[in-house]
């Protein structure tokens, strides 16, 4: 972590705030890799330099 939060351009902000999908991977004990899709990005806070994931919206009505 640094004292100064990261900054990004207006164009990058549009991409990060849109429907950009992300995947993460982890290494298996056998030396392979498993890639898992993660929900789209879309939560950005430029002032603090944070990027988060949007969760699926669920209708909680009975």
């Amino acid at each position: 972590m640094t004292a100064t939060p990261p900054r990004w351009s207006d164009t990058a902000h549009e991409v990060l705030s849109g429907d950009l999908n992300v995947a993460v991977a982890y290494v298996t004990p056998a030396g392979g890799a498993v890639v898992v899709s993660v929900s789209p990005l879309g939560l950005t806070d430029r002032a603090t330099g944070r990027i988060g994931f949007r969760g699926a919206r669920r209708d909680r009505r009975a």
Side-chain angles (χ1 to χ4, degrees), residues 9-37:
S9 68
D10 290 340
T11 303
H13 184 72
E14 288 180 33
V15 172
L16 295 172
S17 298
D19 290 333
L20 180 67
N21 284 305
V22 175
V24 295
Y26 60 92
V27 178
T28 67
V34 176
V35 179
V36 180
S37 176

Side-chain angles (χ1 to χ4, degrees), residues 34-59:
V34 176
V35 179
V36 180
S37 176
V38 180
S39 65
L41 292 171
L43 300 175
T44 58
D45 184 351
R46 290 176 89 172
T48 61
R50 295 181 181 182
I51 301 170
F53 299 103
R54 284 189 290 209
R57 291 185 180 169
R58 295 181 183 170
D59 187 356

